[in-house]
Amino acid sequence: MQRDLMPLIQHDLLRKVVLLSGPRQVGKTTLSQQLMADRPGSQYLNYDVAAHRAVITAQSWRQSAPLLVFDEIHKMPRWKSWLKGVCDGRPPEQQVLVTGSARLETFRQAGDSLAGRTLRWRLLPLSVREWCGQQHAQPAQALTHLLSRGGFPEPALAETDEQAQRWRAGYFEGLVREDVLEFSRLQDIRAMRLFAEMLRSRVGSPLSLASLARDLQVSPSTLARYLDILEALFIVFVVRPWHHNIARATLQSPKVYFYDNGLVRGDEGLRFENLVACHLLKQVQWQQDSRGSASGLHYIRTKDGAEVDFVLSEGESLTHLIECKLSDAKPHRALARFADAWPEAQAVQLLRECQVEADLGRIQLRAAADWLAHLQA
């Protein structure tokens, strides 16, 4: 399966070193192999493999390789300075792709040694748009499939639901046991595992770390660190309240969603909201990576409890107000309220099951499958 980012990465490799990050098993290695197939003689080196690590450390790879792919080198001490030397010393025609299953900017090596030398892309799970394009499916079929299987390639393409479930069980356990330990050197992995499990049933709700901390008998600051680690490893992502004052926004309760829709514990409404969140995040990050835009994903909640699931922003302006419903075609009261407060924003009520699309005042009732299929990412 060819991902939509592939031609964009091909183009950027002609100009800069490309940093490609994303969740484990989301398809980075497959995409790298497809890029290498178009460039005979290319070389793939994974820092986790001892033999490859020796070649990386000695810089003894084939100098004639038209494309070098370095995987997981963020685990190497002073990797940014090392990569700067590779960038500056490579032959002019040699292309370099760096991939990693953790957010490369989160690692503690300091300095801006790569400034001006790299371009960033983030590869996320399959979207309705990608599934339709690759599998020649209709948007409604794609949405149903991704709600059931999630957007990671292996379970999405599995022959049976049982195969997909077996993959997911091993995937989640491996993330918590191996990646979290390697990334953070945590002593109490049991508390981290329990925290991650608890988040699975709290998708889409404002998160009280103080309450969870009491249940787990740890400090709120410890849970905040755990959440940062889960974010950095592409296990969950955080959606914070919209506010012009960013500092105030970070003090309010965040909402947490999973990159793997199959990890959500809850009814179809929660799984649907999580899937929409993944699509909106993918759209926002595509705009950031492809255009350098100041796009953002947030939600709105007032002190009196009025809430809209998601808002999209560009700089200090809101562009979209989005509410998710399974089938309720009655305009959401809070959505109507905020649509009046931000008349420049497009107010959309996404329906999992939509009999007919309509415009009711400023609110657009839209079939979620078709609307998501027309996103750019």
Side-chain angles (χ1 to χ4, degrees):
M1 173 180 284
Q2 180 173 311
R3 304 300 295 274
D4 286 358
L5 285 188
M6 185 168 170
L8 301 172
I9 292 174
Q10 285 175 316
H11 178 265
D12 280 349
L13 282 169
L14 299 173
R15 304 161 52 213
K16 306 270 187 175
V17 170
V18 172
L19 305 180
L20 176 65
S21 59
R24 186 173 294 282
Q25 297 188 42
V26 80
K28 300 183 300 297
T29 300
T30 299
L31 190 152
S32 301
Q33 292 171 342
Q34 291 169 343
L35 289 168
M36 293 171 61
D38 292 337
R39 297 162 177 79
S42 297
Q43 193 166 4
Y44 171 86
L45 297 167
N46 187 332
Y47 192 76
D48 284 338
V49 179
H52 291 196
R53 186 161 59 247
V55 172
I56 291 172
T57 303
Q59 298 193 22
S60 57
W61 53 78
R62 295 195 304 273
Q63 296 301 310
S64 61
L67 171 64
L68 290 173
V69 178
F70 297 115
D71 194 7
E72 303 292 333
I73 64 163
H74 54 267
K75 298 175 182 178
M76 178 172 60
R78 297 177 56 82
W79 72 273
K80 290 183 179 178
S81 298
W82 179 89
L83 185 57
K84 174 181 178 295
V86 173
C87 294
D88 294 344
R90 62 181 170 139
E93 68 281 0
Q94 191 173 66
Q95 300 172 8
V96 176
L97 174 65
V98 177
T99 68
S101 56
R103 291 185 177 176
L104 303 179
E105 65 269 22
T106 63
F107 282 78
R108 291 185 289 272
Q109 291 83 353
D112 296 322
S113 57
L114 295 177
R117 294 174 172 84
T118 63
L119 292 169
R120 176 184 69 173
W121 286 99
R122 287 164 286 188
L123 185 65
L124 297 189
L126 294 160
S127 62
V128 169
R129 172 192 172 99
E130 279 190 295
W131 190 258
C132 289
Q134 293 293 323
Q135 301 296 315
H136 307 292
Q138 294 301 310
Q141 296 172 321
L143 180 60
T144 298
H145 186 81
L146 295 178
L147 276 171
S148 171
R149 296 287 190 86
F152 281 71
E154 186 169 340
L157 294 167
E159 293 183 1
T160 66
D161 290 341
E162 289 75 13
Q163 290 177 359
Q165 282 301 108
R166 290 180 67 186
W167 174 90
R168 182 158 290 110
Y171 178 76
F172 185 67
E173 178 64 23
L175 284 175
V176 175
R177 184 183 65 250
E178 299 173 12
D179 286 14
V180 169
L181 277 174
E182 185 172 33
F183 179 84
S184 61
R185 302 294 190 266
L186 281 178
Q187 299 301 314
D188 191 0
I189 192 64
R190 176 179 174 275
M192 166 63 91
R193 182 182 288 108
L194 287 174
F195 178 55
E197 286 285 350
M198 293 170 75
L199 291 180
R200 295 178 65 181
S201 59
R202 286 167 170 78
V203 164
S205 299
L207 193 65
S208 172
L209 292 180
S211 175
L212 289 173
R214 286 192 296 270
D215 293 341
L216 291 172
Q217 297 184 333
V218 298
S219 69
S221 60
T222 296
L223 285 195
R225 180 176 173 237
Y226 288 177
L227 185 58
D228 287 343
I229 293 169
L230 293 174
E231 266 197 285
L233 292 172
F234 291 100
I235 300 172
V236 303
F237 60 95
V238 169
V239 176
R240 298 191 182 278
W242 164 256
H243 199 287
H244 287 290
N245 186 321
I246 298 300
R248 285 185 61 186
T250 59
L251 292 176
Q252 298 179 46
S253 297
K255 296 200 296 184
V256 173
Y257 298 92
F258 280 82
Y259 286 96
D260 180 10
N261 211 66
L263 290 177
V264 177
R265 283 187 178 146
D267 58 21
E268 186 179 3
L270 279 183
R271 296 196 303 274
F272 175 55
E273 182 179 334
N274 192 91
L275 190 70
V276 171
C278 290
H279 279 70
L280 296 178
L281 179 71
K282 187 169 183 171
Q283 172 69 15
V284 163
Q285 292 188 350
W286 183 88
Q287 291 174 323
Q288 293 169 349
D289 294 348
S290 65
R291 302 173 181 170
S293 74
S295 304
L297 172 61
H298 311 272
Y299 76 98
I300 294 179
R301 183 181 177 88
T302 61
K303 291 182 179 179
D304 61 4
E307 181 177 332
V308 168
D309 291 331
F310 305 109
V311 298
L312 300 181
S313 64
E314 181 67 35
E316 295 187 352
S317 300
L318 292 185
T319 61
H320 293 78
L321 302 157
I322 300 166
E323 180 69 18
C324 302
K325 298 290 185 182
L326 287 179
S327 59
D328 186 2
K330 181 180 178 180
H332 183 59
R333 182 176 299 178
L335 182 61
R337 169 180 167 181
F338 295 132
D340 291 336
W342 283 280
E344 73 282 0
Q346 181 180 353
V348 183
Q349 188 162 316
L350 292 181
L351 302 177
R352 167 72 177 91
E353 298 177 5
C354 181
Q355 298 299 319
V356 60
E357 296 188 336
D359 291 346
L360 303 178
R362 295 202 59 252
I363 295 180
Q364 301 173 5
L365 300 181
R366 296 292 184 263
D370 293 330
W371 194 86
L372 294 174
H374 283 88
L375 293 176
Q376 295 164 299

